[in-house]
Amino acid sequence: MPLSNLAVRDIETVVHPYTNLAGLRDSGPLVIERGQGVILHDSDGKAYIDGMAGLWCVSLGYGNEELVEAAAAQMRKLSFGHLFTAKSHDPAIELAERLKEIAPVPISKVFFCSSGSEANDSQVKLVWYMNNALGRPNKKKIVGRLKGYHGVTVASASLTGLPNNHIDFDLPIRNILHTSCPHHYRFARDGESEEEFATRLAAELDELIVTEGPDTVAAFIAEPVMGAGGVIVPPRSYFPKIMAVCAKHDVYMIADEVICAFGRLGTMFGSQALDFKPHSISIAKALSSAYVPIAGVMVPEAMYQALLAESRKVGMFAHGFTYSGHPVAAAVALKTLEIYKRDRVIEAAAAKAPQFQARLAALGDHPLVGEARGLGLVGALELVADKRTKRSFEPAQGVAARCARFAEELGLIVRFVINDTLTLSPPLVITPQEIDELFERLGRALDRTLDWAKREQLLAA
Ligand SMILES: Cc1ncc(COP(=O)(O)O)c(C=O)c1O
């Protein structure tokens, strides 16, 4: 089909994040024009269920008038205000107060920024700064996990454990380590139970810290459920065991809750669902239902005291962004949190999770699906060439990408990550009927992919 005028103009002007730029020149982009609730419309008027809430973020769905009005009202009142050099404004103060109230662990202050990457980059700098303040300048290494995703700025991309984020970007930077991914289906040994697997990974982390030297390892960072690495839900005992290792070596624990916070797992924070208490927390995405960019680092008192001491010594806390605590973003975030509470959005998401997870699990029987996995309103299907041996397709075969394209033809937007995994993370406000429709379409997309894979002879004999 010839490309539309908009598509041609796009190709000539836009560098697309996370896109095969060569392939885009042939296929063109899918140009989305408007959205309402969980439905998006493209520039030809075709409707799609947004099975990904944008990028795991549009928790309240599109076109929420209350959020639009909160932004407009704040723009009329004070369209910009910053927090540098001891300036402040109402929305930032109120939002920080509100976040302290709902935090799952004692939080002293909130540092605002605009993206998950900035939040995690700030976490790295804050930990380094804190350990300098505490007189332990060698305790600087930060441990991430293979398949973890923490963003794309220099430090956050270094924490990310996905090869494409490092290859030819000259990353990771020094002092960043990676430990194993807690994905039982892929990485457990033959006959190893989830419990034994979790014990082994905790022992491996312990060994890594001991080998590196506990006085050199500052922090461990983890998403409660890994998102972009393929929606990996760890064994139930994984985090309690990992936390014990961190505590033993005085290693600071950072929860990257950029996807999981604000209801995605059926709890306000993902660490509550996975049963662990981090020291600090990165938040973004659903904080404002993605209507405007806003993110933050939730800082505990011990770290705040260290920042205070350093700023006394240096003269100021010299970190922050022009848009840290932007009043319009803060006002929209406040309204978002108000709606979560007033409409019991998180509780409703938890109530819909069994239906969502049951429909997802049922697709686990499909001949192309090696594993169906998820928690709350997030899930994934890992596609395999051979269910019995778990053999993956070759990346170049592009099977998950093909399935995502079939889904689009059928009016459903899903994402594929790390070559072979389809992810789902719909707006939390999705209705039970829409959940059924989403899975109907996904089932049909899988059937079309199976027919195609058979024709291409990509399956095990
Ligand atoms: C867990 C997690 N951390 C950090 C990020 C990076 O956020 P951003 O794209 O806003 O920089 C993401 C983005 O998807 C994420 O999923």
Side-chain angles (χ1 to χ4, degrees):
M1 219 167 61
L3 295 180
S4 71
N5 178 28
L6 262 178
V8 171
R9 282 162 53 203
D10 173 282
I11 292 170
E12 295 312 327
T13 50
V14 180
V15 176
H16 282 263
Y18 282 102
T19 297
N20 179 330
L21 297 178
L24 177 79
R25 297 198 69 81
D26 300 325
S27 66
L30 172 63
V31 182
I32 302 292
E33 197 172 86
R34 61 200 160 84
Q36 188 61 45
V38 302
I39 304 295
L40 290 171
H41 289 266
D42 70 15
S43 50
D44 294 325
K46 180 173 171 176
Y48 305 82
I49 295 176
D50 183 2
M52 277 303 293
L55 291 171
W56 335 77
C57 52
V58 189
S59 47
L60 294 176
Y62 298 89
N64 183 305
E65 282 299 329
E66 283 187 279
L67 297 183
V68 174
E69 188 43 45
Q74 183 57 44
M75 280 186 192
R76 285 187 203 104
K77 188 173 165 201
L78 178 68
S79 52
F80 178 75
H82 62 82
L83 305 177
F84 282 38
T85 57
K87 305 289 185 299
S88 197
H89 49 73
D90 269 18
I93 298 166
E94 261 188 63
L95 180 60
E97 284 174 352
R98 187 75 193 97
L99 287 167
K100 281 182 66 171
E101 276 166 30
I102 62 173
V105 289
I107 285 299
S108 172
K109 309 284 180 288
V110 182
F111 171 80
F112 289 114
C113 48
S114 303
S115 71
S117 298
E118 285 178 1
N120 289 326
D121 252 59
S122 297
Q123 292 273 21
V124 170
K125 288 180 71 180
L126 293 183
V127 164
W128 288 345
Y129 204 67
M130 173 177 74
N131 279 352
N132 285 329
L134 294 174
R136 38 193 208 184
N138 294 326
K139 200 166 170 71
K140 294 290 166 57
K141 293 174 190 163
I142 305 193
V143 184
R145 299 177 301 170
L146 297 172
K147 296 202 180 189
Y149 187 76
H150 304 293
V152 294
T153 47
V154 171
S156 69
S158 296
L159 296 171
T160 291
L162 297 168
N164 288 351
N165 292 95
H166 296 164
I167 295 168
D168 292 343
F169 286 114
D170 293 5
L171 297 174
I173 53 173
R174 74 189 185 94
N175 277 341
I176 304 289
L177 310 166
H178 292 94
T179 190
S180 292
C181 169
H183 188 189
H184 186 267
Y185 171 77
R186 275 286 161 215
F187 304 119
R189 292 180 181 148
D190 274 352
E192 194 174 41
S193 70
E194 295 228 351
E195 175 81 21
E196 288 161 349
F197 178 56
T199 303
R200 176 161 65 81
L201 294 200
E204 193 183 295
L205 177 65
D206 189 49
E207 197 181 314
L208 176 70
I209 295 171
V210 169
T211 307
E212 294 287 332
D215 55 339
T216 72
V217 180
F220 178 80
I221 183 165
E223 304 152 81
V225 168
M226 285 180 171
V231 184
I232 292 160
V233 184
R236 297 308 303 185
S237 63
Y238 171 79
F239 275 111
K241 287 179 199 286
I242 290 284
M243 289 300 296
V245 173
C246 289
K248 177 172 149 197
H249 298 296
D250 192 15
V251 167
Y252 188 86
M253 169 60 175
I254 302 165
D256 179 350
E257 296 243 17
V258 166
I259 288 179
C260 296
F262 312 113
R264 180 53 59 196
L265 306 183
T267 47
M268 186 56 91
F269 287 85
S271 46
Q272 294 164 320
L274 273 294
D275 197 19
F276 70 102
K277 292 190 186 304
H279 292 103
S280 66
I281 302 173
S282 297
I283 50 175
K285 296 191 189 274
L287 172 56
S288 63
S289 188
Y291 274 56
V292 280
I294 184 163
V297 175
M298 302 173 89
V299 175
E301 181 63 17
M303 171 176 269
Y304 177 68
Q305 285 303 325
L307 303 185
L308 209 53
E310 256 318 86
S311 97
R312 283 201 183 100
K313 186 179 94 190
V314 179
M316 66 164 58
F317 171 57
H319 179 68
F321 303 92
T322 300
Y323 302 129
S324 283
H326 192 294
V328 176
V332 173
L334 271 169
K335 181 56 77 175
T336 304
L337 296 183
E338 184 189 319
I339 295 172
Y340 288 157
K341 187 173 179 187
R342 184 196 67 204
D343 296 351
R344 302 181 64 78
V345 172
I346 314 300
E347 293 83 347
K352 286 175 280 194
Q355 178 204 359
F356 181 87
Q357 293 300 334
R359 295 286 320 234
L360 180 75
L363 290 181
D365 294 334
H366 192 276
L368 279 182
V369 176
E371 187 186 40
R373 53 181 181 258
L375 189 64
L377 289 184
V378 66
L381 300 175
E382 183 165 332
L383 307 187
V384 289
D386 188 333
K387 264 173 110 85
R388 196 179 50 80
T389 63
K390 305 184 185 176
R391 180 168 62 81
S392 302
F393 290 105
E394 295 301 321
Q397 293 170 336
V399 178
R402 176 72 59 156
C403 188
R405 258 207 318 281
F406 285 135
E408 270 177 30
E409 286 173 14
L410 293 162
L412 170 66
I413 294 181
V414 294
R415 184 165 169 204
F416 65 95
V417 297
I418 52 168
N419 300 321
D420 51 12
T421 299
L422 295 166
T423 60
L424 289 173
S425 173
L428 301 183
V429 293
I430 192 168
T431 64
Q433 295 73 26
E434 288 165 338
I435 291 176
D436 280 337
E437 186 57 34
L438 181 160
F439 282 103
E440 290 299 321
R441 294 181 194 183
L442 185 55
R444 279 192 279 143
L446 281 168
D447 290 342
R448 280 194 194 179
T449 312
L450 181 62
D451 291 344
W452 167 82
K454 281 180 181 159
R455 282 198 305 277
E456 300 286 319
Q457 301 185 329
L458 304 182
L459 293 168

